[in-house]
Amino acid sequence: MLDLSRLRALHAVSVHGSVAGAAAALGYTPSAVSQQIAKLERETRTTLLERRGRGVALTEEAWHLADTARELLAIVERAETTLEERRGQPGGLLAVAAFASAARGLLPGVLAELARRHPGLDVRLTEVDPHLSVDLVARGVTDLAVAHDWDVAPLPAPDGVEQALIGHDRCDLVVPEGHPFTRRAAVRRADLGGQRWVCQPPGRVCHDWLVRTLRTAGFEPDVAHVAEENHTIVALVAAGLGVAVVPRLGTGPLPPGAVAVPLEPGPVRRLYALWRTGAARRPAITEAVRTLRDHWAAQADTAQADAAQADAAQADAAREGPVPGPRPGDPGRVLGGGGTGPQ
């Protein structure tokens, strides 16, 4: 009889393309995954992995077995969902994937609350690019994903995957201190021409939004610097090397030398939770989605209160004399963790 845990290891290798990737997703060491595959080869008397350069590749027989493993794991998931639903309490393992700024700015509080409220629930978080996380959910590697999209690139949910809106994350134009835009209450998209930009790499949603937006306004973007992380992007802007559009979630207070100015109309990215249809009734899924929404709403309330306080401070300062614009680190204009909450 084939061992389910070994089939799970083979399935993970087929999804992630390597033993190391499968090990990271399953929470094992690469050696443990290799041992599971070796035992499965002995059980089936079939070669499942072949050496290809420094990596491995699945044989044709392994691909067929991996497809069967996916079907079996789906059956097991439905059985586990039914049992958990009958117990009425979230429990078991919940694998969560989230993009970087959500993993930094939203998930820590969510995971802490789930651990406190539901000791029987074992939540494991993996930071994953948003364009990969949906496929991981569909393939059964991840139970729940937190992903985002922009108006120029809606997030498609494939068959068998459901999604729920968590909230909206506003983005700001971040410019160096002393930039002419800092003397404005807001900047129109039509005024963005002639700027040097700091942006994420091509293929990322943020990059695609920038290119499409500027071209629609009649400008060809001059992308001078490319960086993966928002913190790196902000640091480059603070050094006077360009301007950037940066989401508020997970960015935190701006460093000295960087100022956030609102764009009009303001870009907004939508945050979603995604899960497989077969697990929709699982209490762990419903509780995790509820907690995500609650924490997002709480962060939004805090951000709005900070913005109101900052606006009042600016109004007081304006009565005493002219104010050149938003100040570095001003909580009403810096990028915090909350955005504007569900709309």
Side-chain angles (χ1 to χ4, degrees):
M1 180 178 296
L2 298 178
D3 184 271
L4 185 62
S5 62
R6 294 164 193 165
L7 290 173
R8 191 186 303 274
L10 178 65
H11 175 255
V13 174
S14 73
V15 170
H16 294 281
S18 68
V19 170
L26 296 173
Y28 300 154
T29 64
S31 176
V33 172
S34 296
Q35 292 175 14
Q36 293 280 50
I37 301 297
K39 291 178 181 178
L40 187 59
E41 287 182 324
R42 290 196 293 271
E43 287 178 346
T44 59
R45 298 189 294 276
T46 303
T47 300
L48 301 175
L49 297 182
E50 293 178 336
R51 286 286 178 187
R52 295 282 178 85
R54 295 184 178 180
V56 296
L58 271 69
T59 63
E60 183 176 352
E61 292 80 4
W63 282 112
H64 286 297
L65 190 56
D67 287 340
T68 301
R70 176 178 52 81
E71 297 172 0
L72 291 173
L73 291 172
I75 294 172
V76 171
E77 180 181 62
R78 290 196 296 270
E80 291 174 342
T81 297
T82 299
L83 289 174
E84 187 178 321
E85 186 180 21
R86 290 179 64 87
R87 287 193 296 266
Q89 290 292 329
L93 177 65
L94 183 69
V96 177
F99 60 97
S101 53
R104 179 173 56 249
L106 178 62
L107 268 296
V110 171
L111 300 186
E113 179 175 337
L114 289 173
R116 183 177 65 253
R117 290 169 56 89
H118 306 287
L121 180 61
D122 183 10
V123 184
R124 304 291 180 95
L125 173 65
T126 302
E127 187 177 298
V128 177
D129 289 339
H131 66 282
L132 298 176
S133 59
V134 177
D135 185 58
L136 294 180
V137 172
R139 294 189 181 198
V141 178
T142 293
D143 300 312
L144 182 71
V146 178
H148 70 79
D149 70 4
W150 297 57
D151 54 355
V152 298
L155 180 69
D159 291 341
V161 174
E162 300 180 16
Q163 64 182 26
L165 181 68
I166 298 173
H168 297 80
D169 183 24
R170 292 199 180 278
C171 306
D172 292 291
L173 178 67
V174 179
V175 302
E177 186 177 11
H179 191 284
F181 286 162
T182 61
R183 294 191 289 271
R184 303 188 187 184
V187 177
R188 298 176 302 169
R189 296 184 184 185
D191 298 330
L192 294 177
Q195 302 296 321
R196 287 169 61 87
W197 291 89
V198 186
C199 189
Q200 290 188 335
R204 296 295 185 88
V205 179
C206 296
H207 183 279
D208 294 346
W209 180 91
L210 177 66
V211 171
R212 294 187 190 185
T213 298
L214 292 185
R215 287 177 178 171
T216 299
F219 310 117
E220 188 63 28
D222 178 12
V223 179
H225 304 285
V226 175
E228 292 277 356
E229 287 291 330
N230 286 336
H231 285 171
T232 304
I233 291 173
V234 170
L236 292 169
V237 172
L241 299 174
V243 303
V245 172
V246 181
R248 295 179 181 178
L249 174 62
T251 300
L254 294 178
V259 179
V261 182
L263 271 174
E264 289 186 356
V268 176
R269 63 178 183 177
R270 296 163 294 202
L271 272 63
Y272 293 94
L274 301 102
W275 62 90
R276 286 179 297 282
T277 301
R281 302 189 319 274
R282 184 181 173 190
I285 296 290
T286 57
E287 181 66 5
V289 172
R290 182 198 65 78
T291 306
L292 281 165
R293 283 174 158 170
D294 288 350
H295 276 251
W296 182 264
Q299 289 188 180
D301 291 342
T302 300
Q304 290 169 355
D306 288 345
Q309 183 179 8
D311 289 342
Q314 284 192 345
D316 291 341
R319 286 192 289 269
E320 299 175 2
V323 178
R327 297 164 297 184
D330 185 337
R333 291 291 179 259
V334 300
L335 313 187
T340 59
Q343 298 179 11

